[in-house]
Amino acid sequence: MAEQHAADGATALRPHEARRRTMQGRVVSNKMQKTVVVSVESVRQHRLYNRNIRRTTNFKAHDEDNRCQVGDVVIIAESRPLSKDKHWVVREIVKETIGPGLEVFQEEPEVTAAQSTATQAPVAEADAGQADGAPAAGASDASDEETA
């Protein structure tokens, strides 16, 4: 595993870093300095009922450069205790976002002309139904009451 990272041009992991536990999760808070809260989801099967149980656990992880944003998918690695609650370090950002729930895409999907005309057609038909010259039902009643 350490050899793969070295071949990619990234910083090579030392042997003791390659052995450390790693988890993948989503950043849910970055309001602290150099610290992010990462939510890790685990799915296990109930031993009696055999149903899948989804559990989420929040870990505080060290982010030296404050690069992580809310919604980023990151890999965190276990480290020595850095504070009372923080003993994980952000190793890499797998998927970046620009805000909560907003992912960064390389290319925006293009809207074709057929899609844009299809959305405008029902509006044109509704306007054509009222343009036949027939007054609305409520308008004729109001004019009769004024003349009486």
Side-chain angles (χ1 to χ4, degrees):
M1 184 171 168
E3 295 83 19
Q4 293 173 350
H5 288 288
D8 295 338
T11 58
L13 295 175
R14 293 179 280 201
H16 68 279
E17 291 175 335
R19 280 194 310 262
R20 292 185 175 161
R21 284 195 304 168
T22 60
M23 295 188 185
Q24 183 171 350
R26 186 173 298 275
V27 175
V28 293
S29 173
N30 64 347
K31 295 185 178 187
M32 296 170 274
Q33 296 177 3
K34 297 185 178 184
T35 303
V36 292
V37 179
V38 178
S39 178
V40 176
E41 188 174 277
S42 63
V43 179
R44 295 205 173 102
Q45 205 170 32
H46 193 278
R47 60 187 167 137
L48 178 62
Y49 300 116
N50 294 327
R51 282 200 58 151
N52 290 334
I53 299 172
R54 181 179 294 147
R55 295 282 170 99
T56 57
T57 308
N58 290 340
F59 295 102
K60 290 183 183 164
H62 185 68
D63 180 21
E64 182 67 35
D65 302 328
N66 288 325
R67 294 182 306 145
C68 295
Q69 299 294 322
V70 174
D72 287 355
V73 177
V74 296
I75 294 178
I76 57 174
E78 200 172 28
S79 71
R80 66 180 179 84
L82 299 170
S83 68
K84 177 185 171 187
D85 295 328
K86 184 166 68 169
H87 50 270
W88 293 83
V89 176
V90 175
R91 184 176 283 175
E92 79 177 270
I93 300 175
V94 177
K95 186 186 286 186
E96 291 186 2
T97 60
I98 54 175
L102 302 173
E103 297 179 9
V104 176
F105 291 110
Q106 270 58 18
E107 295 181 14
E108 287 290 325
E110 294 183 14
V111 178
T112 61
Q115 290 176 344
S116 62
T117 57
T119 57
Q120 294 173 356
V123 175
E125 291 172 6
D127 292 340
Q130 293 178 355
D132 61 355
S140 61
D141 294 338
S143 62
D144 292 339
E145 290 174 4
E146 292 175 346
T147 57

